[in-house]
Amino acid sequence: KTMYFVFLCFMISFSVTNAGLSGPRAVNGTEGQSVNITCTYGRYFSNFPKYWCKGSDWVSCTILVQTIGRNMTTSDGRISITDDTRVREFSVTMKHLTLNDEGWYWCAIMRVFIDLRSRVKLNIIENTSTAKDIWKDNTNYNRIWNIMRWIFLAILLVWGIVTARM
């Protein structure tokens, strides 16, 4: 009877693994921009910690950010997660997207035995204007340009002086 009870508990736990959590199957984001992913959960999971992890399969999933308390926002600076228990959903915001951010992610709820999870594919669309904008903020580029324009000015002055004496 004990084995039957353990087996029954395992099967019930396994069968409801994704029963209380849903998220989008795929989300598109643009390089350099932000994306917001919202996952909804059942009323029984309001008090459980939520998290966002990256990995093509569940075993290789690495937690990127997780909730600390109810109705609070937790952030690592670029990725944040907010759990709104009133509407039973948590949102993940990823800022300053790069092409390396593309891949498989998981909305997940931490439980004792088996975490609830919902797989999400994040597609990143290359932003062609990003490559041009990088040069505007690149401090090495600005330093080199400052040096080069002074060298160019000095060459012009020397050339002007030399040609004026002829």
Side-chain angles (χ1 to χ4, degrees), residues 79-150:
I79 304 172
S80 62
I81 186 169
T82 304
D83 182 15
D84 188 344
T85 57
R86 290 174 291 121
V87 293
R88 294 190 308 270
E89 65 183 28
F90 64 96
S91 298
V92 175
T93 302
M94 296 178 69
K95 299 177 182 176
H96 312 294
L97 293 171
T98 66
L99 295 176
N100 289 332
D101 288 324
E102 184 167 287
W104 291 101
Y105 291 82
W106 299 80
C107 293
I109 298 176
M110 203 173 288
R111 295 194 314 166
V112 176
F113 293 111
I114 300 174
D115 293 355
L116 293 177
R117 55 200 183 258
S118 178
R119 195 164 122 157
V120 179
K121 173 71 165 113
L122 177 60
N123 301 303
I124 304 297
I125 301 162
E126 186 174 1
N127 185 352
T128 54
S129 66
T130 302
K132 297 172 189 168
D133 294 342
I134 288 172
W135 290 107
K136 291 179 183 176
D137 299 325
N138 189 328
T139 55
N140 287 332
Y141 173 80
N142 290 331
R143 285 187 198 131
I144 291 169
W145 171 243
N146 284 332
I147 293 168
M148 292 301 291
R149 70 181 180 171
W150 285 109

Side-chain angles (χ1 to χ4, degrees), residues 21-119:
L21 177 65
S22 65
R25 291 185 189 270
V27 176
N28 294 324
T30 304
E31 181 184 18
Q33 303 295 316
S34 297
V35 69
N36 189 55
I37 300 98
T38 301
C39 301
T40 58
Y41 55 87
R43 60 184 166 155
Y44 300 109
F45 303 107
S46 293
N47 295 322
F48 290 82
K50 284 67 171 192
Y51 60 96
W52 177 249
C53 65
K54 183 176 185 180
S56 58
D57 55 55
W58 183 248
V59 177
S60 67
C61 198
T62 303
I63 295 176
L64 302 174
V65 67
Q66 68 184 40
T67 59
I68 294 175
R70 295 173 61 177
N71 301 317
M72 293 180 62
T73 299
T74 307
S75 174
D76 77 342
R78 197 172 75 87
I79 304 172
S80 62
I81 186 169
T82 304
D83 182 15
D84 188 344
T85 57
R86 290 174 291 121
V87 293
R88 294 190 308 270
E89 65 183 28
F90 64 96
S91 298
V92 175
T93 302
M94 296 178 69
K95 299 177 182 176
H96 312 294
L97 293 171
T98 66
L99 295 176
N100 289 332
D101 288 324
E102 184 167 287
W104 291 101
Y105 291 82
W106 299 80
C107 293
I109 298 176
M110 203 173 288
R111 295 194 314 166
V112 176
F113 293 111
I114 300 174
D115 293 355
L116 293 177
R117 55 200 183 258
S118 178
R119 195 164 122 157

